[in-house]
Amino acid sequence: MTVRVVWFKRDLRVTDHGPLYHAARQGPVAPLYVAEPEYWAQPDAGERRWGFVRETLLELDQTLSKLGQPLWFMHDSMINVLEYLKSRFGVFELYSHQETGVQWCNRRNQIVREWCRRNGVLWREWPVCGVLRRATGAERWQAAWKDFMAQPRYPSPKTLPMVGTSPLKPEVWPETIGADPTPCVLRQAGGRAAAAQELKSFLQARGQNYFRDTHYPATAFDGGSRLSPYLAHGVISLRETVQQSRRALQTYHSRRSADWVKSINEFLSRLYLRSHYMQQMEDEPGMESLNLHKSFNGLREHQFEEAKFDAWKNGETGFPLIDAAMKALIQYGWINYQLRGLLMSFAANQLWLHWREPALHLARLSIDYDPAVHFPLTQQFAGTTGMFEQKIYNPVTESHRLDPAGKFIRAECSALREVSDAYLHAPWKMPHAEQIMSGCVIGQDYPMPIINNEDATLVAGQRLKAHLEERLDPMETARVRAAHLRSIKLD
């Protein structure tokens, strides 16, 4: 009997898993995860994310084992794995979800597709997150997304007949994978149980003021959904998250709980926006390295100052909210949307760094990194999409706005804990005597700003204006907006 190999990638679950559900209905299933060394050697990879994935895989293996068939784990290239499967099973079929990823993944998938063609192996792929291949038109895409999210979820298989044990036992799965080793002592735990608990606590307690709390770093860690790592790795499906949120919304509507209704509507819009970014990456697969709007080519590519980049990535720029955001990301593997945008805007504009290296650094640090979301967001904040008027955020103004009481800054930047409110957001303005009194001498205990913000912002605006006056292509603007400018609100 033909074995169906279910290839797990960013879909590490058994519930609402189309390939697993359909494969189990056909006959024996070999659930497979391949830790590809070349994938984890890419410049966006980090050990902290592997630790999260490994925890999730261990729990997934336990779940599959209870169904009768443990997870097959292999640490090799996908082509070597396919050759092994062919020698083990003879004729087999390959089932997986579609994948929207970096160019390395696209090339690997093409190689796999060609191998399957040569060897007579059927490879079936299922859509994920409402993303369409070859999508045309915003209205069609939005309708398809709504339809996808309204469809019944695939149930978990009741049993899986044993076809064999994994070539590698869980006790010898690699604990490190050769990626960026920056430790992350306070990251979220992997696994379905942790994801389910986060969703439950968010919809029943933590999320009441999400519409407000998620915007501010001091409250986002508790008031945000904290589901992004689980969605990024498919530990819980987007459809399940949407449907559970909609049920909660109905409940709060019936109770006339205005804050809850506002919060869950805001959350649903964020989930929709997540798929929008994924569709954008699907349609423009070069976004990990190429400007979406081609008129921005040549703007920053050849002006990269390593010293500024090092200060930014180490949280030593001298701008408190910028530094606090980076230090929090290093420690937790997560920061909210507003801080990610601020970090990226500051790097691209005031520091005038091409967005590619900063984007890779943020990817390595983020437990919830999904390239299909990350790179469209990166380009949005770097201002290279051409869909919106470019906004250069003032780090001091944003510091006052996002952390007015300084709770987040003081928690992440220990040198600033005793600095008074009057100078916390711009500590270089402190009189020297007050620096001594607060135990924070600028240039000694906390860095001097690496740039003059006003001058750097002015220069960035001038450079951008001059570049676009010379190179802006209105036809390219029309192309980008027609292809990607979708509504971010649900009807």
Side-chain angles (χ1 to χ4, degrees), residues 65-79:
S65 296
K66 291 176 181 177
L67 296 176
Q69 171 58 59
L71 178 68
W72 279 42
F73 179 98
M74 299 186 73
H75 188 197
D76 205 339
S77 72
M78 191 61 193
I79 294 301

Side-chain angles (χ1 to χ4, degrees), residues 48 180 182-188 217 221 226 228 312-313 315 321-337 339-341 343-344 358-369 374 408 412:
R48 52 180 53 198
D180 179 273
T182 306
C184 189
V185 295
L186 296 176
R187 68 165 172 83
Q188 290 173 267
F221 283 85
R226 304 305 308 276
S228 57
W312 176 84
K313 72 180 184 180
L321 189 59
I322 299 291
D323 295 341
M326 187 63 76
K327 291 178 184 298
L329 183 58
I330 291 170
Q331 184 171 214
Y332 296 98
W334 181 89
I335 51 176
N336 71 348
Y337 173 91
L339 291 184
R340 294 175 204 239
L343 283 176
M344 200 67 240
L360 290 173
H361 183 69
L362 297 184
R364 289 188 290 269
L365 294 180
S366 299
I367 301 301
D368 60 353
Y369 167 66
H374 180 73
F408 176 73
E412 302 303 328

Side-chain angles (χ1 to χ4, degrees), residues 336-351:
N336 71 348
Y337 173 91
Q338 282 72 21
L339 291 184
R340 294 175 204 239
L342 182 61
L343 283 176
M344 200 67 240
S345 176
F346 185 80
N349 293 299
Q350 282 92 339
L351 303 186

Side-chain angles (χ1 to χ4, degrees), residues 208-226:
Q208 182 171 3
N209 295 307
Y210 172 84
F211 70 93
R212 180 179 61 244
D213 289 349
T214 191
H215 297 284
Y216 300 100
T219 54
F221 283 85
D222 292 327
S225 77
R226 304 305 308 276

Side-chain angles (χ1 to χ4, degrees), residues 144-390:
W145 188 89
K146 291 179 180 179
D147 180 66
F148 183 89
M149 295 304 159
Q151 292 173 10
R153 302 196 299 270
Y154 293 109
S156 303
K158 294 182 178 180
T159 60
L160 293 174
M162 169 72 80
V163 299
T165 57
S166 173
L168 288 178
K169 303 292 186 183
E171 53 266 27
V172 299
W173 292 0
E175 294 191 11
T176 60
I177 203 90
D180 179 273
T182 306
C184 189
V185 295
L186 296 176
R187 68 165 172 83
Q188 290 173 267
R192 166 79 185 188
Q197 178 56 38
E198 289 286 17
L199 181 59
K200 180 181 179 180
S201 68
F202 175 68
L203 294 178
Q204 294 184 1
R206 295 186 298 106
Q208 182 171 3
N209 295 307
Y210 172 84
F211 70 93
R212 180 179 61 244
D213 289 349
T214 191
H215 297 284
Y216 300 100
T219 54
F221 283 85
D222 292 327
S225 77
R226 304 305 308 276
L227 289 167
S228 57
Y230 306 104
L231 292 170
H233 298 285
V235 185
I236 188 170
S237 78
L238 183 65
R239 178 160 52 197
E240 179 178 357
T241 306
V242 167
Q243 291 182 2
Q244 289 206 33
S245 298
R246 285 174 174 170
R247 282 199 297 270
L249 181 61
Q250 291 176 346
T251 298
Y252 292 122
H253 261 303
S254 67
R255 296 177 183 174
R256 299 184 179 181
S257 302
D259 285 348
W260 270 112
V261 169
K262 187 175 181 180
S263 289
I264 296 181
N265 275 324
E266 174 75 13
F267 180 57
L268 286 167
S269 292
R270 292 288 186 97
L271 296 178
Y272 172 82
L273 184 58
R274 188 177 190 280
S275 292
H276 155 77
Y277 289 126
M278 296 182 74
Q279 186 66 56
Q280 193 173 35
M281 183 82 164
E282 175 70 25
D283 296 341
E284 305 270 356
M287 284 189 73
E288 64 172 291
S289 57
L290 302 174
N291 294 322
L292 174 62
H293 195 299
K294 304 305 182 283
S295 295
F296 290 92
N297 291 348
L299 180 62
R300 303 184 183 95
E301 285 86 332
H302 307 296
Q303 298 182 11
F304 195 91
E305 296 186 40
E306 290 290 342
K308 290 181 178 178
F309 179 55
D310 288 343
W312 176 84
K313 72 180 184 180
N314 293 321
E316 297 174 351
T317 68
F319 291 90
L321 189 59
I322 299 291
D323 295 341
M326 187 63 76
K327 291 178 184 298
L329 183 58
I330 291 170
Q331 184 171 214
Y332 296 98
W334 181 89
I335 51 176
N336 71 348
Y337 173 91
Q338 282 72 21
L339 291 184
R340 294 175 204 239
L342 182 61
L343 283 176
M344 200 67 240
S345 176
F346 185 80
N349 293 299
Q350 282 92 339
L351 303 186
W352 204 250
L353 304 174
H354 185 359
W355 53 263
R356 168 75 173 164
E357 287 302 321
L360 290 173
H361 183 69
L362 297 184
R364 289 188 290 269
L365 294 180
S366 299
I367 301 301
D368 60 353
Y369 167 66
D370 183 336
V373 178
H374 180 73
F375 287 107
L377 269 175
T378 290
Q379 292 214 35
Q380 177 178 308
F381 288 116
T384 54
T385 68
M387 289 189 287
F388 310 100
E389 182 179 351
Q390 182 153 354

